[in-house]
Amino acid sequence: DTLAHAARYAAVHPLFLRAFEWLAAYAAATPSEGRVALDGDRLVALPQGYTTHPLDCRKFETHDRFIDIQYIVSGSERIYVGDPTAMTPVVPYDPEKDIAFFEGRGAAETLRAGEFLIIWPDEAHAPGCDPGAEPASVRKVVLKVAV
């Protein structure tokens, strides 16, 4: 979805309203990269910039303690989302990093500048993938929202 519709999601989680308000201000200002604690460890923004990669260079990941809101500031990328129970675990869950890695398949969602995707803890995802035949330069923010 886009930030223009973010108010629809405010009732889904108590921190979503604050997350989307921060994103709207961030998108207008575009500050530099670096971890931004918005509500201690319960709501954290991770601005980043990179060049996308083919899907075969990426592993699917899951998190137990956080919902991801992945927002594209500029550029575009494809994010694959799938069911981790139908995938092969390749790196076991690390509770300190809140991440596990899998190999498998998923449905592709292409995100463009101004769009976000909410990824729940039970969804495996492979972000940062090429949006087409060629790599793309992306600036994005991943908001980590505590479950």
Side-chain angles (χ1 to χ4, degrees):
D1 209 336
T2 66
L3 290 181
H5 303 133
R8 296 176 181 171
Y9 302 92
V12 174
H13 188 285
L15 293 172
F16 275 15
L17 178 61
R18 179 143 186 225
F20 286 118
E21 288 174 344
W22 184 87
L23 265 180
Y26 175 88
T30 316
S32 61
E33 297 178 20
R35 185 179 193 278
V36 181
L38 303 171
D39 188 342
D41 288 336
R42 296 175 356 114
L43 178 59
V44 175
L46 304 170
Q48 50 202 259
Y50 53 83
T51 300
T52 60
H53 298 281
L55 174 61
D56 62 0
C57 293
R58 310 289 300 179
K59 299 285 186 240
F60 282 82
E61 59 188 68
T62 60
H63 312 288
D64 284 357
R65 298 189 327 258
F66 291 94
I67 300 163
D68 278 5
I69 301 173
Q70 300 208 10
Y71 174 77
I72 305 297
V73 177
S74 64
S76 67
E77 76 175 37
R78 191 165 286 155
I79 299 176
Y80 291 83
V81 180
D83 178 2
T85 65
M87 296 181 182
T88 304
V90 292
V91 177
Y93 179 71
D94 180 336
E96 271 193 43
K97 295 180 181 177
D98 187 42
I99 197 165
F101 291 98
F102 299 82
E103 288 182 349
R105 299 178 56 116
E109 186 67 42
T110 300
L111 294 182
R112 293 163 189 82
E115 297 177 337
F116 66 86
L117 179 66
I118 298 171
I119 303 169
W120 302 97
D122 61 343
E123 295 176 312
H125 55 288
C129 296
D130 295 339
E134 298 295 322
S137 180
V138 176
R139 287 202 36 76
K140 92 179 202 188
V141 178
V142 177
L143 285 162
K144 305 298 258 179
V145 184
V147 178

